[in-house]
Amino acid sequence: MRTLWWEDGQLKMIDQRLLPLRHEIVSFDDYRAVAKAITDMVVRGAPAIGAAGAYGLALAARQSTARTREGLLADLAAAKRVLDAARPTAVNLTWATRRLFNLAQRLTDAEPDALRAALLAEAERLANEDVEINRRMGAHGAAVIPHGANILHHCNTGSLATVDYGTALGVVRAAWERGNPVHVWVDETRPRLQGARLTAWELMQDGIPMTLIADNAAGHLMRSGKVDVVLFGADRVAANGDVANKIGTYKLAVLAKENGIPCYAVVPTSTVDLSLPSGDHIPIEERPWEEVTHIDGVQIAPDDVRVYNPAFDVTPHRYLTGIITEEGICYPPFEISLRRAKEAAEARIRDA
Ligand code: MRU
């Protein structure tokens, strides 16, 4: 299932706010609308946001009326600022828009129309690469999943969080496809319930055994010996291996270590931000209070209650067994293994 794709001169996306009750496709021909869709979480999940940003910049090039290369580059720079501001934590967004913008800067001989075509082709390439990268992560990760494991999973990291297949859920899929009869404990993931709404839906569609749990049940399950491995994705990984992911991840990782359970983050190298020395420097998005006080428009807290709604937390690297990337599994010291993975990925893209 493709989460977003280019069709008839438009960017199409599944509207993830409506799942699992309604499956609707929305179309975009304006990059500003793409930026708003990212903010409003029509599309969400770090790699999917990155691909949406890339298509958004390709759309901005088509929207620009500039007749010179310099004019088009100026319009692209302005559009990039709008897209990059849509969500702050997932580094895949700026990674993707930078990749397209850098390409536009490198093509010094290209006329505006040739640049427009090149940017769309690059967005398509980036989206297709994402699927291939997820499958590679899946293959690496499947090797460390014990036979018949009970896997605890947080948020949604599946096809919907990427272009297709998934990061942590891609590892689950790969294990299942290789004949490993795994079972997944699906954290509901308050406040937006990506686990209950999206992960449960994806796993049920694939027929992969799963059980939905309230977030607060995870510690009890771990202490009762009912969890063999904890898997999640990430929105940004600092150079030292600290990982920012959906709020609640930190709690799971600490509990996993306390209970002697292996715990892996599954990330494409585009999520690794070597410019940040540690997780303390990762910007943490705060989201609207209604996400906490309301569920599907139904108010569940008193009028005028004070709310704090951080969308992500940082898990210090000491709680991670490893970080699974498309270049293999990174183990401590992460400063070295992550840098090597990032360099290997960049070399592969250069040589392709
Ligand atoms: O707020 P969301 O739904 O965009 O958060 C998504 C996550 O936290 C995922 O775990 C993360 O993007 C990595 S998985 C692709």
Side-chain angles (χ1 to χ4, degrees), residues 41 43-49 87 90 154-158 161-162 166-168 192 194 198 232-235 245-247 266 268 285 287 311-312:
M41 295 176 69
V43 61
R44 31 69 48 204
I49 291 172
R87 288 193 79 188
H154 196 56
C155 195
N156 173 266
T157 68
T162 59
T167 59
R192 286 191 69 105
Q194 290 95 327
L198 307 178
F232 43 78
D235 282 66
N245 189 48
K246 181 52 54 195
I247 193 78
V266 187
E285 176 184 13
R287 298 217 28 110
F312 300 94

Side-chain angles (χ1 to χ4, degrees), residues 112-132:
D113 278 348
L115 260 187
R116 291 180 178 99
L119 287 182
L120 180 57
E122 188 67 3
E124 293 273 60
R125 194 171 305 122
L126 186 147
N128 290 333
E129 275 170 20
D130 183 62
V131 185
E132 190 212 317

Side-chain angles (χ1 to χ4, degrees), residues 129-320:
E129 275 170 20
D130 183 62
V131 185
E132 190 212 317
I133 283 169
N134 291 336
R135 290 193 176 270
R136 288 167 63 99
M137 286 190 292
H140 292 304
V144 295
I145 304 298
H147 187 80
N150 284 295
I151 302 169
L152 184 71
H153 175 274
H154 196 56
C155 195
N156 173 266
T157 68
S159 293
L160 292 164
T162 59
V163 176
D164 201 350
Y165 205 67
T167 59
L169 223 52
V171 171
V172 171
R173 282 203 163 97
W176 178 255
E177 286 163 9
R178 286 159 177 71
N180 187 342
V182 296
H183 162 263
V184 186
W185 296 110
V186 175
D187 260 4
E188 60 175 348
T189 319
R190 271 285 283 156
R192 286 191 69 105
L193 298 168
Q194 290 95 327
R197 292 174 191 273
L198 307 178
T199 299
W201 184 73
E202 281 196 42
L203 288 173
M204 288 174 81
Q205 284 206 332
D206 280 3
I208 300 176
M210 55 135 300
T211 308
L212 179 63
I213 55 167
D215 295 324
N216 291 335
H220 169 67
L221 289 175
M222 287 197 226
R223 212 174 83 80
S224 316
K226 293 189 171 133
V227 177
D228 301 302
V229 56
V230 174
L231 290 183
F232 43 78
D235 282 66
R236 198 183 297 225
V237 180
N240 70 345
D242 292 353
V243 159
N245 189 48
K246 181 52 54 195
I247 193 78
T249 302
Y250 172 44
K251 204 164 63 171
L252 294 178
V254 174
L255 282 167
K257 186 150 189 120
E258 165 71 13
N259 289 281
I261 299 167
C263 175
Y264 294 93
V266 187
V267 304
T269 51
S270 52
T271 302
V272 178
D273 183 353
L274 294 178
S275 75
L276 301 184
S278 78
D280 295 343
H281 302 269
I282 299 176
I284 299 294
E285 176 184 13
E286 289 178 31
R287 298 217 28 110
W289 52 269
E290 292 92 338
E291 291 185 351
V292 179
T293 56
H294 290 66
I295 296 181
D296 268 347
V298 177
Q299 187 174 335
I300 55 159
D303 286 340
D304 302 325
V305 68
R306 263 178 77 169
V307 172
Y308 175 49
N309 184 19
F312 300 94
D313 60 24
V314 171
T315 299
H317 60 274
R318 65 177 174 280
Y319 294 109
L320 298 176

Side-chain angles (χ1 to χ4, degrees), residues 56-68:
L57 209 61
L59 275 176
R62 291 161 72 94
Q63 287 174 261
S64 166
T65 53
R67 299 212 181 137
T68 63

